[in-house]
Amino acid sequence: MTNPTEHALPANSMVESHEVDFGCTVMELRKLMELRSSDGIDQINVHYGGVTNLCSRLKTNPVEGLSGNPTDLEKRKQVFGQNFIPPKKAKTFLELVWEALQDVTLIILEIAAIISLVLSFYRPPGEENEQCGLPVSSPEDEGEAEAGWIEGAAILFSVIIVVLVTAFNDWSKEKQFRGLQNRIEKEQKFSVIRNGHIIQLPVAEIVVGDIAQIKYGDLLPADGILIQGNDLKIDESSLTGESDHVKKSLERDPMLLSGTHVMEGSGRMVVTAVGINSQTGIIFTLLGASEGEEEEKKKKGKKQGVPENRNKAKTQDGVALEIQPLNSQEGIDNEEKEKKVTKLPKKEKSVLQGKLTRLAVQIGKAGLIMSAITVLILILYFVIENFVIHRRPWLAECTPIYIQYFVKFFIIGITVLVVAVPEGLPLAVTISLAYSVKKMMKDNNLVRHLDACETMGNATAICSDKTGTLTMNRMTVVQAYIGDTHYHQIPSPDALVPKVLDLIVNGISINSAYTSKILPPEKEGGLPRQVGNKTECALLGFVTDLKQDYHAVRNEVPEEKLYKVYTFNSVRKSMSTVIEKPSGGYRMYSKGASEIILRKCNRILDKKGEVMPFKNKDRDEMVRTVIEPMASQGLRTICIAYRDFNDGEPTWDNESEILTELTCIAVVGIEDPVRPEVPEAIAKCKRAGITVRMVTGDNINTARAIATKCGIVTPGDDFLCLEGKEFNRLIRNEKGEVEQEKLDKIWPKLRVLARSSPTDKHTLVKGIIDSTVGEQRQVVAVTGDGTNDGPALKKADVGFAMGIAGTDVAKEASDIILTDDNFTSIVKAVMWGRNVYDSISKFLQFQLTVNVVAVIVAFTGACITQDSPLKAVQMLWVNLIMDTFASLALATEPPTESLLKRRPYGRNKPLISRTMMKNILGHAVYQLTVIFFLVFAGERFFDIDSGRKAPLHSPPSQHYTIIFNTFVLMQLFNEINSRKIHGERNVFAGIFRNLIFCSVVLGTFISQILIVEFGGKPFSCTKLTLSQWFWCLFIGIGELLWGQIISTIPTQSLKFLKEAGHGTTKEEITKDAEGLDEIDHAEMELRRGQILWFRGLNRIQTQIKVVKAFHSSLHESIQKPKNQNSIHNFMTHPEFAIDEEVPRTPLLDEHEEENLDNPTSGTRALLLDGEVTPYANKNNNAVDCSQVQIVASHSDSPLHSLETSV
């Protein structure tokens, strides 16, 4: 049996001899990981003699892990492969050059240049003929005529430069993205046990046989088998499409797959497959193989092998984006499905890109009309003058000369178009974003989706977590209530009864994740390092402060001895651990939010450690006298309790029965100090017109106290602080549905949402985004660190995940990762976002001034003098200054604090404001006046020969050289004016902070001197005298003075000025969205995640889609009765195309509904050796083996080895 990934496995004799060292081969382990639930358990028990035996075969210790010996690790990598999936090959530089050449304008230019070249070498016999309307050429003109080819060659040369610059920019961008991706992959670490120590290891270093610690929020980096688990639930939707969380346990289903998410619980697993041999890797390899074969097929033009539906990944920047079915032979059904798939509406671009695209199209249309009119007028002028006024006959031998004139006119027309179309816009946006992203890395913002950077500039609201973002996430217990006494400092151990002390130490040490621990400080005199959950670390620190040792307790009760663990989740808001007592019976320790645990307590320990009854009135009294005073000081209150079960074993799954009748041991107050820099950052946000809201799981008093310290709420403000329950009561109707109208009354004043669940966070974010209360739609940023923050992060316009405390799931749902978990970094992101917007506006202001002037000059010049004062090559040089260099100079302006002193622009604010329009038209008037004066009176002013109406191949004149030189110098000084777009007078402010700007301006000036003095024929230039140079410079500097005059004119008085580059209106979105079941403006307006840098997310999305394609292919290998419709088939329907939302469980179609009545209908899954495996009857995977017939599989079918993981 062949396998598509076999070529990737080392197959030499050395490896085979190594394989003998281990008790199982790669292929055996791969086959094992394809099994699910009971089949997997059977295979492990029958074939390997249980998990422990499997570990010994893999030469690993389930408790101590691998030894970490380098030779052993190397051997494992050789035999079982590395935990690395090779990325798709990047585009080569030549491919990028070819793509840049596809630009329509450049193609037209190339054609014009080639025609010009060909005609310049053609010497017709009638050239000397005066009848053709040409002056008889003098001997010195002969040499000039010989140089006629130079113009065509120069245009071609300019085109090559433009193409190379574009290609280089794309190449460096792709390289940057890959570097970023590699950096993220290197940063992704996982807890592994080596030599008895838990260490954080880069994911790529994990090998088969490693013992990995898994916990809530992890993204599994490799396939493995569970050794020990506590209440473990996994989200396998990325591989199977099933949205239900799968419970994992040694008895029921110990198979853990790479790319899946741990949603609850914790445990340990032995790694059995890594890299291309893991389930994720197999799918990736098949994807790569199918792509390669598809290309081969296209080359051969023949269809071979079994009919199958292949999937090809469209990639951008080396990252798979979307997968669309290619034409297959699966019959009409599939073709229809494909049609449906292609009809799915594309998502809108991001706000800025939407505005830019519309503006570019408008400008392009205007340019096209202008260039067409220019060509038409030139040709008509020539024809009328020669054949109507001079009544010359059209002679056959003159035809090539006339054609040469027409080509010249055509080139002038193209030149007008080239200058009019602002093809530098995409370049400016790319440079600005790429530059910002690189710089934001230094400001602790790791941007994953480029458009998030620019959207952040429009943010009007930030919904922030409290812990770790606004506070330091360095938690310490500062108060305690033990045995009827409220200690305002940590008590000495002598003050406590030994029995109570013992319960506190055991209750904390055992009932916390064993991954949470306190390590000695890195530097002498520093604070001890907290590893793991910070609240648990605070409690462990409390144990240490009581002069006790939690390690001793954990050594006595290792993780394997824990009888049952109820891990913390957002619903429980508590954690409980059950252990067996040596004397028989069980003891359960619980800890959690004080008001939640106290509600479940009916007894409490007094001063002597005796158990006393704890009634409702006692609880209310305790809340009033202990918990509220602690909370009002901003402390988080945690209650520690226990319960003994002495009458036999209870039903552990009945959680509500278990978590009652607890005995309260102590209540502690944990302080998490506010970060010192946060109040200032929040004040900046308020000045910038951004509302900050705190969404936290803490109680209302703690939350309000912290919000006041941060400055989110200030005394005397009209604001709301709500708890989750109250919030839901106010916004939901009797049926429990959220009503937007009710929500609109709450959110504008809401500042603190306490005791909130992740659903509340999502509801709030969605409500603010969908609201139509203000004149502008709100742009919301959200911070999150937990797995359950995923939906809110995804829904928000910009999702910030915590780089340190955040789980992998949160990071994947986010757009930007805060590498220091600090709120001030969000403020920096706002600054950079606004800066991107301003940079592009600066570039537009500069570019459009040049466009307006150049187009009018070329147009009028051509119509009046039949020759553009600015030649094609000169125009291309101007274009290069405008597009490439100016975008580099203006798009790399560093942000300043002043950006935070204005309100957000809003989604519908035009790109070109009235002030900018005033600047553009004002400078255009100055430049046009100067140029027309020079064209029509320049020769008299400078006392030189006129360059107007020169014959076809005449040498360059000083007259037109001065015009070109003045034009370029005016642009150069106007570039300095363009640094300010809000009418500021000082255009030089901060100019030396931007070295790129200074070097571009200087570089362009030096290049201009060289072009004028040594450019000669190709640039249609001739040398100028010193006085002429000074005049050009003087006129250029006049731009700066003129800029001051323009800024004194009040914009309000110029009512006739229009704005340009508006955003997309809601009506237009609605029109675009016809055919969508639900119109979500947030989703429509923001193209979410076009470039997915995280390998994890990239993998998962690809998997979902690929698995679906494979499911549809399976039908070819399985003959099935007519009434049976496989779940595989129904998962490939286009209605279920994965949008970048949380995977949804698809609805059954009509066939399925009919089938539900038929008890024999079910699902099949084909395994490697062609057998059909019945699964546990769960997630509608019911199977009736008698109904299934297998066709003998073809060994040459690449789908024969397909692994389905439904």
Side-chain angles (χ1 to χ4, degrees):
M1 186 202 99
T2 58
N3 194 291
T5 55
E6 248 177 55
H7 65 273
L9 306 172
N12 55 31
S13 55
M14 185 177 77
V15 170
E16 281 166 19
S17 70
H18 280 325
E19 282 198 346
V20 180
D21 296 352
F22 298 102
C24 38
T25 64
V26 178
M27 292 315 295
E28 284 170 356
L29 290 173
R30 265 177 65 160
K31 271 191 194 173
L32 173 64
M33 291 320 294
E34 278 143 24
L35 303 172
R36 300 285 169 272
S37 55
S38 53
D39 305 324
I41 295 171
D42 294 347
Q43 182 76 348
I44 292 168
N45 292 336
V46 174
H47 197 86
Y48 298 98
V51 180
T52 323
N53 270 348
L54 176 62
C55 288
S56 55
R57 280 200 190 193
L58 289 171
K59 301 199 170 159
T60 183
N61 183 323
V63 181
E64 298 278 313
L66 295 175
S67 63
N69 177 353
T71 31
D72 175 49
L73 296 177
E74 195 49 49
K75 189 158 75 172
R76 285 172 192 275
K77 282 181 186 171
Q78 280 182 359
V79 177
F80 299 110
Q82 290 185 313
N83 196 22
F84 170 72
I85 294 172
K88 197 171 182 312
K89 204 168 91 239
K91 281 182 181 161
T92 61
F93 186 70
L94 286 175
E95 284 174 309
L96 292 168
V97 166
W98 177 246
E99 273 178 23
L101 277 168
Q102 311 299 309
D103 185 73
V104 183
T105 325
L106 289 179
I107 291 172
I108 297 171
L109 269 177
E110 287 155 23
I111 294 168
I114 290 164
I115 295 172
S116 170
L117 265 179
V118 170
L119 289 174
S120 68
F121 288 122
Y122 180 61
R123 291 277 166 274
E127 191 167 334
E128 306 295 314
N129 194 339
E130 213 172 323
Q131 289 174 314
C132 294
L134 291 165
V136 178
S137 51
S138 57
E140 61 264 24
D141 282 349
E142 286 293 317
E144 296 296 342
E146 291 297 320
W149 61 273
I150 290 179
E151 188 165 19
I155 294 178
L156 274 183
F157 181 69
S158 307
V159 167
I160 289 166
I161 297 233
V162 172
V163 165
L164 288 177
V165 167
T166 315
F168 179 75
N169 188 57
D170 287 346
W171 178 79
S172 58
K173 182 178 72 173
E174 190 160 314
K175 192 170 160 225
Q176 200 180 351
F177 286 166
R178 282 182 178 268
L180 209 49
Q181 206 170 344
N182 291 340
R183 181 184 156 170
I184 293 166
E185 281 174 14
K186 279 180 193 145
E187 280 181 359
Q188 209 177 351
K189 292 194 171 163
F190 209 78
S191 299
V192 172
I193 302 173
R194 292 243 174 117
N195 223 355
H197 299 293
I198 300 173
I199 55 167
Q200 291 287 318
L201 206 63
V203 166
E205 296 293 312
I206 293 173
V207 293
V208 171
D210 260 324
I211 306 296
Q213 286 264 25
I214 53 174
K215 61 180 189 308
Y216 156 83
D218 281 345
L219 171 77
L220 297 186
D223 292 353
I225 291 167
L226 194 64
I227 302 175
Q228 175 261 323
N230 305 319
D231 200 19
L232 199 60
K233 285 185 187 164
I234 306 275
D235 173 11
E236 291 190 347
S237 58
S238 55
L239 279 175
T240 63
E242 292 292 351
S243 57
D244 294 346
H245 295 170
V246 185
K247 276 192 175 177
K248 296 285 178 182
S249 63
L250 291 164
E251 302 76 42
R252 289 169 60 186
D253 184 1
M255 317 304 271
L256 300 169
L257 307 173
S258 59
T260 59
H261 291 127
V262 183
M263 300 312 280
E264 256 183 60
S266 60
R268 289 205 317 273
M269 71 169 189
V270 57
V271 176
T272 52
V274 292
I276 53 170
N277 298 309
S278 65
Q279 293 299 296
T280 306
I282 289 167
I283 288 170
F284 253 75
T285 318
L286 280 168
L287 180 68
S290 70
E291 248 187 12
E293 284 167 32
E294 192 61 50
E295 282 165 21
E296 276 174 36
K297 242 193 228 176
K298 276 184 189 165
K299 283 178 195 166
K300 290 179 186 169
K302 293 173 188 169
K303 306 264 184 197
Q304 297 173 341
V306 291
E308 57 211 330
N309 179 16
R310 296 294 179 144
N311 271 4
K312 185 167 186 208
K314 284 188 178 180
T315 59
Q316 178 169 336
D317 298 320
V319 180
L321 291 182
E322 53 179 316
I323 294 156
Q324 293 183 333
L326 288 153
N327 287 337
S328 66
Q329 307 164 4
E330 287 204 317
I332 302 156
D333 296 354
N334 241 40
E335 278 177 24
E336 280 172 9
K337 283 180 205 168
E338 282 166 28
K339 281 175 194 163
K340 280 185 200 166
V341 169
T342 51
K343 276 181 195 165
L344 284 175
K346 285 182 181 174
K347 283 194 180 175
E348 277 271 312
K349 292 177 172 154
S350 77
V351 186
L352 179 66
Q353 283 181 316
K355 289 178 183 178
L356 281 173
T357 310
R358 303 183 75 192
L359 191 67
V361 167
Q362 287 164 354
I363 296 169
K365 281 180 185 167
L368 198 63
I369 294 164
M370 288 290 273
S371 68
I373 293 172
T374 310
V375 175
L376 208 64
I377 289 176
L378 283 171
I379 290 174
L380 281 174
Y381 200 105
F382 179 80
V383 169
I384 290 168
E385 190 184 32
N386 274 304
F387 304 119
V388 179
I389 297 170
H390 294 294
R391 296 173 182 271
R392 290 200 181 92
W394 183 293
L395 300 173
E397 60 266 25
C398 289
T399 306
I401 296 165
Y402 297 147
I403 288 173
Q404 236 171 326
Y405 266 102
F406 291 154
V407 167
K408 182 184 169 187
F409 299 152
F410 179 61
I411 287 176
I412 292 169
I414 294 296
T415 309
V416 172
L417 177 65
V418 169
V419 174
V421 175
E423 65 266 37
L425 272 184
L427 194 65
V429 177
T430 310
I431 289 176
S432 186
L433 285 174
Y435 171 77
S436 303
V437 167
K438 211 164 187 175
K439 291 286 184 189
M440 281 171 83
M441 290 278 284
K442 289 179 184 162
D443 282 343
N444 303 307
N445 283 290
L446 180 63
V447 182
R448 295 185 48 231
H449 299 158
L450 265 186
D451 53 2
C453 166
E454 149 244 320
T455 310
M456 203 51 217
N458 289 324
T460 54
I462 298 172
C463 294
S464 173
D465 275 356
K466 175 180 76 71
T467 309
T469 315
L470 300 171
T471 60
M472 291 172 79
N473 204 9
R474 163 110 214 148
M475 301 205 187
T476 40
V477 173
V478 288
Q479 294 186 25
Y481 177 84
I482 307 166
D484 293 344
T485 314
H486 187 164
Y487 296 96
H488 288 274
Q489 269 103 26
I490 289 175
S492 81
D494 311 331
L496 304 177
V497 184
K499 178 189 170 188
V500 176
L501 185 61
D502 202 40
L503 280 169
I504 291 173
V505 173
N506 283 331
I508 292 172
S509 309
I510 294 170
N511 185 32
S512 55
Y514 280 32
T515 47
S516 299
K517 49 184 180 282
I518 292 176
L519 300 177
E522 283 176 336
K523 292 174 190 162
E524 273 187 55
L527 292 166
R529 281 182 297 151
Q530 297 184 338
V531 178
N533 181 299
K534 295 293 188 277
T535 310
E536 291 184 342
C537 288
L539 293 169
L540 293 171
F542 178 51
V543 171
T544 315
D545 291 342
L546 289 170
K547 311 283 187 291
Q548 306 297 310
D549 182 12
Y550 70 88
H551 284 295
V553 180
R554 286 184 173 180
N555 292 338
E556 203 179 307
V557 187
E559 223 170 338
E560 298 81 58
K561 283 195 185 171
L562 302 181
Y563 192 77
K564 172 83 182 161
V565 179
Y566 299 95
T567 48
F568 180 89
N569 64 27
S570 55
V571 181
R572 287 192 190 117
K573 288 208 185 301
S574 68
M575 174 181 177
S576 307
T577 304
V578 182
I579 55 167
E580 287 184 89
K581 292 198 287 187
S583 55
Y586 303 91
R587 172 168 287 176
M588 177 178 76
Y589 291 109
S590 291
K591 69 163 192 286
S594 53
E595 56 266 53
I596 290 170
I597 295 283
L598 284 175
R599 243 179 267 139
K600 296 172 180 173
C601 290
N602 63 357
R603 290 188 285 278
I604 190 166
L605 298 178
D606 67 2
K607 281 181 184 170
K608 296 173 186 166
E610 301 299 323
V611 174
M612 303 291 289
F614 187 60
K615 299 193 174 64
N616 281 356
K617 68 173 189 341
D618 301 329
R619 182 188 312 121
D620 296 340
E621 175 71 10
M622 189 168 169
V623 167
R624 199 170 50 77
T625 58
V626 180
I627 290 170
E628 282 184 0
M630 279 188 188
S632 62
Q633 293 169 44
L635 303 185
R636 169 185 280 192
T637 54
I638 300 284
C639 177
I640 303 160
Y642 77 101
R643 179 183 177 183
D644 285 332
F645 299 93
N646 297 321
D647 315 325
E649 189 168 353
T651 318
W652 297 115
D653 288 342
N654 191 350
E655 223 174 293
S656 52
E657 288 291 312
I658 300 287
L659 279 174
T660 51
E661 300 180 19
L662 304 177
T663 305
C664 173
I665 307 168
V667 172
V668 295
I670 296 177
E671 183 184 42
D672 185 9
V674 170
R675 287 177 182 266
E677 63 273 30
V678 162
E680 172 59 21
I682 285 174
K684 279 182 188 171
C685 284
K686 284 185 174 175
R687 280 201 298 277
I690 300 167
T691 310
V692 181
R693 293 180 176 84
M694 183 203 283
V695 183
T696 176
D698 263 356
N699 81 34
I700 188 94
N701 296 322
T702 310
R704 195 188 280 116
I706 298 281
T708 311
K709 283 181 188 172
C710 292
I712 290 174
V713 295
T714 44
D717 272 4
D718 181 18
F719 59 81
L720 284 174
C721 291
L722 294 177
E723 279 198 334
K725 273 186 187 170
E726 180 66 6
F727 173 69
N728 278 305
R729 193 181 61 72
L730 291 170
I731 63 165
R732 292 179 190 271
N733 57 20
E734 307 78 59
K735 294 178 189 168
E737 295 161 344
V738 176
E739 282 192 4
Q740 188 65 43
E741 282 175 32
K742 289 186 172 183
L743 191 54
D744 285 347
K745 288 175 189 163
I746 303 279
W747 72 258
K749 289 185 179 178
L750 183 69
R751 290 296 176 271
V752 176
L753 185 57
R755 282 278 175 255
S756 67
S757 68
T759 324
D760 297 339
K761 196 174 192 176
H762 183 260
T763 309
L764 177 65
V765 172
K766 187 177 188 303
I768 297 177
I769 288 175
D770 293 349
S771 172
T772 51
V773 174
E775 66 265 24
Q776 294 282 2
R777 165 162 116 52
Q778 294 280 311
V779 178
V780 184
V782 169
T783 68
D785 54 6
T787 302
N788 36 32
D789 288 329
L793 288 170
K794 214 146 185 60
K795 180 68 197 169
D797 294 302
V798 182
F800 286 91
M802 301 298 138
I804 303 166
T807 60
D808 294 346
V809 182
K811 288 176 187 174
E812 278 175 20
S814 69
D815 302 293
I816 298 178
I817 294 172
L818 298 176
T819 52
D820 63 345
D821 291 12
N822 193 337
F823 187 83
T824 47
S825 302
I826 300 175
V827 181
K828 298 241 183 77
V830 171
M831 223 156 84
W832 276 107
R834 292 184 174 191
N835 193 52
V836 165
Y837 213 92
D838 278 10
S839 295
I840 285 156
S841 294
K842 288 172 191 174
F843 173 70
L844 270 173
Q845 179 174 302
F846 172 68
Q847 164 114 44
L848 294 181
T849 311
V850 186
N851 279 9
V852 170
V853 174
V855 169
I856 294 174
V857 165
F859 176 69
T860 47
C863 298
I864 296 167
T865 66
Q866 286 131 76
D867 189 6
S868 170
L870 298 169
K871 300 291 180 288
V873 179
Q874 295 174 348
M875 285 287 210
L876 280 166
W877 164 238
V878 170
N879 221 20
L880 202 67
I881 303 176
M882 289 186 333
D883 287 358
T884 313
F885 297 143
S887 60
L888 195 64
L890 292 168
T892 52
E893 284 276 320
T896 57
E897 287 286 330
S898 61
L899 288 165
L900 294 174
K901 289 180 183 153
R902 60 168 175 77
R903 302 190 72 73
Y905 277 143
R907 303 184 80 82
N908 304 328
K909 168 106 172 40
L911 270 175
I912 299 170
S913 63
R914 273 231 176 98
T915 310
M916 286 168 64
M917 196 58 97
K918 174 184 79 175
N919 292 343
I920 290 169
L921 297 178
H923 287 292
V925 167
Y926 173 82
Q927 294 183 13
L928 286 170
T929 311
V930 166
I931 284 175
F932 284 136
F933 170 76
L934 289 176
V935 168
F936 297 110
E939 72 270 29
R940 289 197 294 282
F941 183 80
F942 286 108
D943 193 23
I944 48 176
D945 293 335
S946 170
R948 294 195 301 280
K949 297 202 177 182
L952 193 62
H953 293 304
S954 58
S957 63
Q958 268 191 327
H959 183 194
Y960 273 21
T961 306
I962 289 173
I963 294 171
F964 165 59
N965 199 22
T966 309
F967 180 66
V968 170
L969 290 176
M970 284 195 296
Q971 305 322 324
L972 213 55
F973 287 101
N974 193 30
E975 200 168 329
I976 298 170
N977 277 329
S978 299
R979 292 184 66 248
K980 304 293 173 197
I981 51 170
H982 299 298
E984 299 95 326
R985 280 197 174 280
N986 184 0
V987 291
F988 291 101
I991 195 164
F992 296 113
R993 282 176 62 216
N994 187 359
L995 288 173
I996 299 177
F997 185 89
C998 298
S999 45
V1000 163
V1001 169
L1002 205 64
T1004 313
F1005 184 59
I1006 292 164
S1007 307
Q1008 181 63 18
I1009 294 172
L1010 295 175
I1011 285 172
V1012 169
E1013 293 302 310
F1014 308 106
K1017 182 72 181 169
F1019 281 95
S1020 310
C1021 286
T1022 184
K1023 292 184 165 128
L1024 297 180
T1025 65
L1026 200 61
S1027 67
Q1028 288 166 346
W1029 262 105
F1030 276 124
W1031 271 109
C1032 294
L1033 257 175
F1034 172 69
I1035 295 168
I1037 293 168
E1039 266 288 354
L1040 296 173
L1041 303 171
W1042 184 252
Q1044 294 300 311
I1045 295 168
I1046 291 173
S1047 58
T1048 48
I1049 304 168
T1051 312
Q1052 286 74 21
S1053 61
L1054 306 170
K1055 294 274 185 246
F1056 60 89
L1057 287 180
K1058 288 272 186 291
E1059 299 163 323
H1062 288 265
T1064 320
T1065 60
K1066 281 199 173 177
E1067 293 74 47
E1068 287 174 13
I1069 294 169
T1070 314
K1071 260 188 265 167
D1072 292 344
E1074 280 171 14
L1076 276 177
D1077 296 342
E1078 178 189 350
I1079 297 157
D1080 180 347
H1081 294 294
E1083 289 296 321
M1084 286 290 301
E1085 289 187 353
L1086 274 177
R1087 187 185 83 265
R1088 302 292 280 165
Q1090 195 188 22
I1091 298 150
L1092 306 172
W1093 290 343
F1094 247 71
R1095 182 178 72 180
L1097 186 56
N1098 170 11
R1099 276 195 200 170
I1100 288 165
Q1101 287 195 315
T1102 313
Q1103 287 162 20
I1104 297 171
K1105 294 166 184 167
V1106 177
V1107 167
K1108 288 184 175 183
F1110 294 155
H1111 292 157
S1112 66
S1113 326
L1114 276 175
H1115 299 162
E1116 303 308 323
S1117 340
I1118 303 177
Q1119 281 185 351
K1120 54 184 184 282
K1122 284 275 184 278
N1123 68 341
Q1124 283 193 326
N1125 203 349
S1126 158
I1127 191 169
H1128 302 146
N1129 189 18
F1130 107 83
M1131 281 184 71
T1132 53
H1133 279 249
E1135 298 91 291
F1136 314 120
I1138 293 290
D1139 195 17
E1140 237 180 274
E1141 287 291 328
V1142 181
R1144 300 179 287 275
T1145 313
L1147 305 164
L1148 294 169
D1149 61 15
E1150 295 133 36
H1151 299 295
E1152 255 81 15
E1153 283 167 16
E1154 288 166 23
N1155 292 346
L1156 290 179
D1157 305 329
N1158 183 342
T1160 56
S1161 70
T1163 313
R1164 282 93 44 222
L1166 183 67
L1167 292 171
L1168 273 174
D1169 42 5
E1171 65 180 320
V1172 167
T1173 308
Y1175 291 151
N1177 193 353
K1178 181 171 180 275
N1179 296 340
N1180 74 11
N1181 280 347
V1183 177
D1184 185 346
C1185 287
S1186 61
Q1187 286 292 318
V1188 182
Q1189 299 166 316
I1190 307 285
V1191 178
S1193 53
H1194 303 285
S1195 58
D1196 59 343
S1197 157
L1199 284 161
H1200 175 62
S1201 60
L1202 195 67
E1203 292 73 25
T1204 60
S1205 22
V1206 180

